[in-house]
Amino acid sequence: MVRPLRSSAIAFAISLGLTVFPSGPGFSQSPEYTNALNRMVARPQDPEAAFQFAQVASAEGRFREAITALERVLILFPDLANIKLELGVLYLRLGQSAIAERFIREAIASPDAPPEVQARAAELLEIAELGNQRFVVANTVSTGVTFDTNANFGPETGVIPDDTGQSDGSIFARISSRFSYDLGYQEGHRLIGGIDLSTRHYFEQSRLDSQRVGLSFGAAFNAAGDSTRPATFSATLDGAYYWRDGEEYLSEIGPTFSYAFGLSDETSAEVSAYYRDQNFINTATVTANDLRDGHIMGVAARVRHTLSETDALTFGSTFAQKDAEAGFEAYDEVAVTASYTTIRPGLLDIGGDDWRYGVRARFGMQDYAEADPAAPILDREEVNSYFLAGSAEIPFENDLSVLVEVGVNGTSSNYDFNDFDNEFISFTLTKSF
């Protein structure tokens, strides 16, 4: 079974050390909070009154007040498994995984714990144990095959037949490793980084073969402060080296800054900015490649909204500016993206009971700084690009999955020789560990 979207997101966030802190004394008291507080004060020996107050306080972000109420209950009634479990949940929300794990283990060990408490505690214990690991590594290995009707993104007609659209297939592989190291502060600050290795080999058009090595290192800081919503600021230095058809093609390096934060229980957002210094290298097939030397910088924003336990929408926008040695290689780009994911029963009796389905789309516009002197017209190039794909991810045991994706992409340009349309189907086998 695929875990619900929200549960997976919570587990991943806690495993990386993201923390949520309560609001400060500026909170206003709701009628529900006031009534629950008065009821608890009037009935100091009643654990149910304290439990109800803790629920109301927690819902309003008053986690420490909820913890205080429940810890007082345990002084009077030290064997209440459900109280210990709720304390474990609250300490998890505060990012204090070690204390949370202790209370959750005590709840599991309670001889009178109901089966539903035992089951919930076992699930939360796994999350708490992840949060207690200072050094966390996540690895992904994937491989697959893609078939394109226009693999080289060529026009329908051209002077040189090899430059027109050519169908082809390719095999690809990628190894990705990400790490997170908790610096040991209560706030949850950590070092982050990773390495990516990828390669693609075409069956017929070897000049399209490519390889990439990417490295990233930096830090992520808990920026929630007094907010009840998670917030993380990260800064990394990223570099990559590319090969094309066995020859060195491009190297780039530069920083990336991002700020991710929660807008509500269902909605999260992220804004980011990056800069890359790029050094292009001439190859046998791209003899003037170094005219692209320069830098590219951009900003992006993304909002993700969870519709239900199984459905989510994501919207994004980006703006990038590329400067180059040759003006006709420099451009401004604006793009918008959207995606929808849902978990539903599988179409076939293979893999897990539930599959993850998705649709994603992108539309972009590029406006070049100068006209290409080799073009038959004197106007600067203007390009509209599109991408649309649907997918189905089939889960198997041992963190193994198969992704099937079908889609179309292409461009429309005032330079006819840069117009193309392509249809593709891709099969990807992924193992995470």
Side-chain angles (χ1 to χ4, degrees):
M1 292 284 291
V2 177
R3 292 185 179 179
L5 294 175
R6 188 180 301 174
S7 299
S8 299
I10 292 174
F12 182 67
I14 294 178
S15 72
L16 289 181
L18 300 181
T19 57
V20 182
F21 285 82
S23 293
F27 258 145
S28 61
Q29 293 187 2
S30 68
E32 292 81 4
Y33 176 88
T34 302
N35 292 337
L37 177 62
N38 292 337
R39 185 165 54 249
M40 181 180 66
V41 171
R43 297 153 55 183
Q45 303 294 320
D46 185 356
E48 182 63 26
F51 183 75
Q52 292 175 355
F53 168 77
Q55 287 184 313
V56 173
S58 176
E60 296 187 6
R62 299 172 179 264
F63 303 132
R64 297 199 183 278
E65 294 178 33
I67 286 173
T68 300
L70 294 182
E71 288 182 337
R72 287 174 180 170
V73 172
L74 282 184
I75 294 176
L76 300 174
F77 306 95
D79 296 326
L80 293 180
N82 63 324
I83 298 297
K84 294 177 180 178
L85 181 58
E86 292 307 314
L87 278 169
V89 172
L90 289 168
Y91 275 113
L92 272 180
R93 299 190 70 176
L94 284 173
Q96 300 181 25
S97 301
I99 302 176
E101 181 179 349
R102 176 171 65 83
F103 277 114
I104 294 171
R105 288 190 181 278
E106 290 180 6
I108 294 176
S110 297
D112 299 328
E116 61 273 15
V117 172
Q118 291 270 2
R120 186 179 178 217
E123 182 177 340
L124 290 169
L125 180 60
E126 180 181 351
I127 298 176
E129 290 174 339
L130 284 173
N132 283 331
Q133 297 178 14
R134 293 189 65 180
F135 187 73
V136 178
V137 179
N139 302 303
T140 303
V141 177
S142 60
T143 185
V145 59
T146 298
F147 297 95
D148 293 283
T149 60
N150 188 350
N152 61 328
F153 299 163
E156 293 183 3
T157 60
V159 177
I160 303 175
D162 288 346
D163 290 336
T164 60
Q166 305 288 320
S167 62
D168 201 356
S170 60
I171 55 176
F172 59 87
R174 179 184 179 190
I175 301 175
S176 175
S177 181
R178 294 283 184 270
F179 78 85
S180 172
Y181 178 76
D182 194 316
L183 293 174
Y185 300 103
Q186 187 62 49
E187 292 81 1
H189 306 323
R190 61 196 192 279
L191 299 177
I192 57 174
I195 181 172
D196 288 286
L197 308 173
S198 62
T199 182
R200 181 180 292 271
H201 176 74
Y202 284 83
F203 299 147
E204 297 179 2
Q205 304 184 65
S206 65
R207 62 195 178 110
L208 301 178
D209 293 350
S210 62
Q211 294 81 39
R212 178 185 182 274
V213 175
L215 294 171
S216 177
F217 182 80
F221 306 93
N222 172 45
D226 290 335
S227 172
T228 61
R229 306 294 179 197
T232 304
F233 174 78
S234 63
T236 58
L237 179 64
D238 306 294
Y241 211 93
Y242 299 78
W243 290 263
R244 180 172 169 177
D245 194 16
E247 296 182 279
E248 295 176 308
Y249 183 80
L250 165 66
S251 64
E252 61 180 15
I253 190 170
T256 301
F257 305 96
S258 67
Y259 179 63
F261 54 99
L263 295 172
S264 68
D265 290 342
E266 296 81 19
T267 307
S268 61
E270 181 178 7
V271 292
S272 59
Y274 68 90
Y275 172 90
R276 299 287 184 273
D277 182 71
Q278 297 182 314
N279 177 35
F280 287 84
I281 304 166
N282 292 336
T283 69
T285 56
V286 189
T287 56
N289 197 34
D290 62 356
L291 293 179
R292 301 176 183 178
D293 285 354
H295 64 266
I296 185 170
M297 55 185 176
V299 294
R302 184 184 62 161
V303 176
R304 176 184 171 87
H305 179 69
T306 301
L307 301 172
S308 67
E309 291 290 324
T310 59
D311 300 79
L313 281 170
T314 303
F315 298 96
S317 61
T318 61
F319 171 78
Q321 185 177 70
K322 162 69 177 174
D323 287 338
E325 182 177 323
F328 62 89
E329 294 287 2
Y331 59 82
D332 293 337
E333 181 179 34
V334 178
V336 293
T337 61
S339 66
Y340 169 72
T341 58
T342 182
I343 297 175
R344 293 288 185 268
L347 296 177
L348 302 173
D349 189 20
I350 59 174
D353 294 334
D354 292 336
W355 294 6
R356 186 186 299 271
Y357 303 90
V359 177
R360 58 192 181 105
R362 181 185 186 277
F363 177 78
M365 296 182 294
Q366 286 184 330
D367 186 9
Y368 283 79
E370 297 178 10
D372 187 340
I377 61 176
L378 299 179
D379 293 337
R380 294 180 292 110
E381 186 178 14
E382 297 177 355
V383 181
N384 295 329
S385 61
Y386 71 92
F387 176 94
L388 177 64
S391 64
E393 183 179 2
I394 308 168
F396 293 90
E397 295 181 355
N398 301 319
D399 294 317
L400 191 69
S401 67
V402 172
L403 177 68
V404 182
E405 188 170 47
V406 179
V408 295
N409 64 307
T411 63
S412 174
S413 170
N414 58 334
Y415 290 5
D416 293 342
F417 55 85
N418 282 339
D419 286 349
F420 78 88
D421 293 291
N422 176 56
E423 300 169 0
F424 67 89
I425 182 170
S426 179
F427 303 87
T428 306
L429 177 66
T430 300
K431 166 70 175 178
S432 300
F433 57 96

